[in-house]
PDB file of all heavy atoms in Angstrom:
ATOM      1  N   ILE A1362      96.856 107.160 108.838  1.00 88.00           N
ATOM      2  CA  ILE A1362      97.978 106.571 108.099  1.00 88.00           C
ATOM      3  C   ILE A1362      98.721 107.653 107.336  1.00 88.00           C
ATOM      4  O   ILE A1362      99.955 107.735 107.359  1.00 88.00           O
ATOM      5  CB  ILE A1362      97.488 105.490 107.109  1.00 88.00           C
ATOM      6  CG1 ILE A1362      96.862 104.315 107.861  1.00 88.00           C
ATOM      7  CG2 ILE A1362      98.619 105.017 106.204  1.00 88.00           C
ATOM      8  CD1 ILE A1362      97.841 103.464 108.615  1.00 88.00           C
ATOM      9  N   GLY A1363      97.951 108.481 106.639  1.00 87.00           N
ATOM     10  CA  GLY A1363      98.550 109.543 105.840  1.00 87.00           C
ATOM     11  C   GLY A1363      99.355 110.512 106.679  1.00 87.00           C
ATOM     12  O   GLY A1363     100.427 110.967 106.267  1.00 87.00           O
ATOM     13  N   GLU A1364      98.843 110.829 107.863  1.00 88.00           N
ATOM     14  CA  GLU A1364      99.550 111.754 108.742  1.00 88.00           C
ATOM     15  C   GLU A1364     100.913 111.205 109.128  1.00 88.00           C
ATOM     16  O   GLU A1364     101.916 111.931 109.139  1.00 88.00           O
ATOM     17  CB  GLU A1364      98.704 112.020 109.991  1.00 88.00           C
ATOM     18  CG  GLU A1364      97.402 112.753 109.719  1.00 88.00           C
ATOM     19  CD  GLU A1364      96.561 112.923 110.980  1.00 88.00           C
ATOM     20  OE1 GLU A1364      97.091 112.597 112.070  1.00 88.00           O
ATOM     21  OE2 GLU A1364      95.406 113.357 110.870  1.00 88.00           O
ATOM     22  N   GLN A1365     100.961 109.907 109.436  1.00 89.00           N
ATOM     23  CA  GLN A1365     102.231 109.305 109.839  1.00 89.00           C
ATOM     24  C   GLN A1365     103.179 109.166 108.662  1.00 89.00           C
ATOM     25  O   GLN A1365     104.390 109.328 108.808  1.00 89.00           O
ATOM     26  CB  GLN A1365     101.978 107.938 110.481  1.00 89.00           C
ATOM     27  CG  GLN A1365     101.249 108.027 111.805  1.00 89.00           C
ATOM     28  CD  GLN A1365     101.270 106.710 112.559  1.00 89.00           C
ATOM     29  OE1 GLN A1365     102.321 106.124 112.786  1.00 89.00           O
ATOM     30  NE2 GLN A1365     100.080 106.247 112.948  1.00 89.00           N
ATOM     31  N   VAL A1366     102.629 108.857 107.486  1.00 89.00           N
ATOM     32  CA  VAL A1366     103.458 108.753 106.284  1.00 89.00           C
ATOM     33  C   VAL A1366     104.127 110.092 106.004  1.00 89.00           C
ATOM     34  O   VAL A1366     105.331 110.159 105.709  1.00 89.00           O
ATOM     35  CB  VAL A1366     102.611 108.302 105.069  1.00 89.00           C
ATOM     36  CG1 VAL A1366     103.378 108.521 103.772  1.00 89.00           C
ATOM     37  CG2 VAL A1366     102.218 106.840 105.205  1.00 89.00           C
ATOM     38  N   LYS A1367     103.349 111.151 106.093  1.00 86.00           N
ATOM     39  CA  LYS A1367     103.885 112.483 105.826  1.00 86.00           C
ATOM     40  C   LYS A1367     104.895 112.898 106.899  1.00 86.00           C
ATOM     41  O   LYS A1367     105.910 113.526 106.604  1.00 86.00           O
ATOM     42  CB  LYS A1367     102.734 113.490 105.745  1.00 86.00           C
ATOM     43  CG  LYS A1367     101.796 113.229 104.574  1.00 86.00           C
ATOM     44  CD  LYS A1367     100.509 114.027 104.678  1.00 86.00           C
ATOM     45  CE  LYS A1367      99.532 113.607 103.582  1.00 86.00           C
ATOM     46  NZ  LYS A1367      98.218 114.294 103.714  1.00 86.00           N
ATOM     47  N   CYS A1368     104.580 112.536 108.141  1.00 87.00           N
ATOM     48  CA  CYS A1368     105.473 112.891 109.239  1.00 87.00           C
ATOM     49  C   CYS A1368     106.821 112.187 109.117  1.00 87.00           C
ATOM     50  O   CYS A1368     107.872 112.777 109.358  1.00 87.00           O
ATOM     51  CB  CYS A1368     104.811 112.541 110.572  1.00 87.00           C
ATOM     52  SG  CYS A1368     105.801 112.963 112.028  1.00 87.00           S
ATOM     53  N   GLN A1369     106.760 110.898 108.713  1.00 87.00           N
ATOM     54  CA  GLN A1369     107.988 110.113 108.575  1.00 87.00           C
ATOM     55  C   GLN A1369     108.657 110.306 107.221  1.00 87.00           C
ATOM     56  O   GLN A1369     109.772 109.846 107.010  1.00 87.00           O
ATOM     57  CB  GLN A1369     107.684 108.628 108.795  1.00 87.00           C
ATOM     58  CG  GLN A1369     107.159 108.298 110.170  1.00 87.00           C
ATOM     59  CD  GLN A1369     106.828 106.820 110.334  1.00 87.00           C
ATOM     60  OE1 GLN A1369     107.439 105.948 109.704  1.00 87.00           O
ATOM     61  NE2 GLN A1369     105.853 106.514 111.181  1.00 87.00           N
ATOM     62  N   ASN A1370     107.930 110.972 106.298  1.00 87.00           N
ATOM     63  CA  ASN A1370     108.444 111.228 104.953  1.00 87.00           C
ATOM     64  C   ASN A1370     108.921 109.939 104.277  1.00 87.00           C
ATOM     65  O   ASN A1370     110.062 109.828 103.827  1.00 87.00           O
ATOM     66  CB  ASN A1370     109.581 112.249 104.994  1.00 87.00           C
ATOM     67  CG  ASN A1370     109.912 112.785 103.609  1.00 87.00           C
ATOM     68  OD1 ASN A1370     109.046 112.851 102.729  1.00 87.00           O
ATOM     69  ND2 ASN A1370     111.163 113.165 103.403  1.00 87.00           N
ATOM     70  N   VAL A1371     108.011 108.961 104.251  1.00 89.00           N
ATOM     71  CA  VAL A1371     108.326 107.669 103.623  1.00 89.00           C
ATOM     72  C   VAL A1371     107.415 107.446 102.422  1.00 89.00           C
ATOM     73  O   VAL A1371     106.377 108.089 102.273  1.00 89.00           O
ATOM     74  CB  VAL A1371     108.159 106.509 104.621  1.00 89.00           C
ATOM     75  CG1 VAL A1371     109.216 106.585 105.707  1.00 89.00           C
ATOM     76  CG2 VAL A1371     106.751 106.496 105.221  1.00 89.00           C
ATOM     77  N   LYS A1372     107.826 106.525 101.584  1.00 91.00           N
ATOM     78  CA  LYS A1372     107.030 106.141 100.422  1.00 91.00           C
ATOM     79  C   LYS A1372     106.696 104.660 100.508  1.00 91.00           C
ATOM     80  O   LYS A1372     107.572 103.837 100.763  1.00 91.00           O
ATOM     81  CB  LYS A1372     107.792 106.407  99.124  1.00 91.00           C
ATOM     82  CG  LYS A1372     107.825 107.857  98.693  1.00 91.00           C
ATOM     83  CD  LYS A1372     108.420 107.973  97.292  1.00 91.00           C
ATOM     84  CE  LYS A1372     108.354 109.405  96.786  1.00 91.00           C
ATOM     85  NZ  LYS A1372     108.842 109.503  95.390  1.00 91.00           N
ATOM     86  N   PHE A1373     105.420 104.339 100.285  1.00 93.00           N
ATOM     87  CA  PHE A1373     104.984 102.954 100.249  1.00 93.00           C
ATOM     88  C   PHE A1373     104.227 102.696  98.957  1.00 93.00           C
ATOM     89  O   PHE A1373     103.705 103.626  98.323  1.00 93.00           O
ATOM     90  CB  PHE A1373     104.070 102.638 101.440  1.00 93.00           C
ATOM     91  CG  PHE A1373     104.762 102.660 102.772  1.00 93.00           C
ATOM     92  CD1 PHE A1373     104.184 103.307 103.852  1.00 93.00           C
ATOM     93  CD2 PHE A1373     105.984 102.023 102.953  1.00 93.00           C
ATOM     94  CE1 PHE A1373     104.803 103.332 105.086  1.00 93.00           C
ATOM     95  CE2 PHE A1373     106.618 102.038 104.181  1.00 93.00           C
ATOM     96  CZ  PHE A1373     106.031 102.694 105.249  1.00 93.00           C
TER      97      PHE A1373
END
Side-chain angles (χ1 to χ4, degrees):
I1362 296 289
E1364 294 177 8
Q1365 293 192 53
V1366 166
K1367 295 167 187 176
C1368 181
Q1369 298 178 30
N1370 194 29
V1371 292
K1372 283 189 175 184
F1373 292 134

